[in-house]
Each structure stands twice: as C-alpha cells, then as structure tokens.
Amino acid sequence: RHFPTPTPSSTCATMTSHGTTSVQALIGFILMIHSMVSMHHFRSFTKATASTESPPVDIVAECLLGMFLCTLAVFGRSGEFMTIKAAPYAAKRTFDALSSRPHFNIYHHRARALKETRRKFKRERDIS
C-alpha cells in the first residue's frame, strides 16, 4: 500500500475531526471540574484537621491531564496555523498596503468645532 506522506504545513487540525476535538474538550472539562471538586474536599479536610499537606498526586495529575486535553482540543479546532515568518505573506503585498492601518483613521473629530472657536476668539481679540 501507498500512504501519502504528510506535508510540512499539516497540523493537528487537519488530522483530527471536529467531533474528536469536541469529545476531547468535554472529557478535559469534566476532568478539570472533578479535580476542582476533589481539591475542594481535600482543602476542607486539611482545614478541619489543621494539617499542612501538599495536594495528592492524583488530583494534580487529573487537573494537568484535563488541561492538556482542553488545550489539544482548542488547537485541533483552530484550523490551519500561519507561518511565523511573514516574508511569504509580505512579498505579495505592496509597502503601502503593509503600512496601511485603516481602522486608525478618524473621520469624526473636533476640527470643525475648534475651527469655529478659533474664529470667535480671533474676532474677540481683533475687536479689543
């Protein structure tokens, strides 16, 4: 059999389906909630006995596993990642397009109101 070789740009998003990532996220979330409840019980037990023990290893491992599964699910759902180097993206655009920031253009400003105020101030100054 001939199996296709993965391309360098392939990510975990192309290898997992959305159903798999949903199950991963759900299991990770349930594990984190369960570890939170277990930690709450542990803390209330240590307060009642006035002991200063470190958290049990199984609670910490459960929390880390849940966090790992949730993180893996988020990366699986995010889609294709862009390359870190902007050179291939920037090579296709002009310099003016790269430096353009249209969302910083402000068209509603106080220039008209200030212009009227300056005229009134000039008139008053010229009169006196």
Side-chain angles (χ1 to χ4, degrees):
R1 289 186 179 187
H2 179 269
F3 293 103
T5 57
T7 59
S9 66
S10 67
T11 62
C12 64
T14 58
M15 296 177 204
T16 59
S17 67
H18 286 296
T20 306
T21 55
S22 297
V23 171
Q24 285 175 348
L26 181 66
I27 292 172
F29 186 71
I30 289 171
L31 284 174
M32 289 181 68
I33 293 293
H34 185 263
S35 66
M36 178 186 68
V37 170
S38 299
M39 184 59 79
H40 178 68
H41 287 300
F42 174 74
R43 291 285 183 202
S44 62
F45 174 74
T46 55
K47 282 183 183 179
T49 59
S51 63
T52 56
E53 297 178 20
S54 61
V57 177
D58 61 334
I59 295 176
V60 174
E62 184 179 13
C63 184
L64 291 175
L65 180 64
M67 185 180 68
F68 176 73
L69 285 176
C70 286
T71 304
L72 192 66
V74 167
F75 285 150
R77 280 279 184 142
S78 64
E80 282 290 322
F81 292 110
M82 294 181 69
T83 59
I84 293 176
K85 295 180 182 178
Y89 173 72
K92 298 175 187 174
R93 301 181 67 194
T94 64
F95 182 74
D96 293 332
L98 287 173
S99 64
S100 174
R101 305 272 192 269
H103 52 277
F104 282 118
N105 295 342
I106 300 172
Y107 297 107
H108 304 288
H109 47 78
R110 299 181 188 170
R112 189 177 302 155
L114 290 175
K115 192 175 188 181
E116 293 297 323
T117 306
R118 282 185 63 198
R119 283 185 190 160
K120 288 179 186 176
F121 182 70
K122 264 187 163 180
R123 284 185 209 145
E124 289 174 4
R125 196 176 65 185
D126 290 340
I127 293 173
S128 48

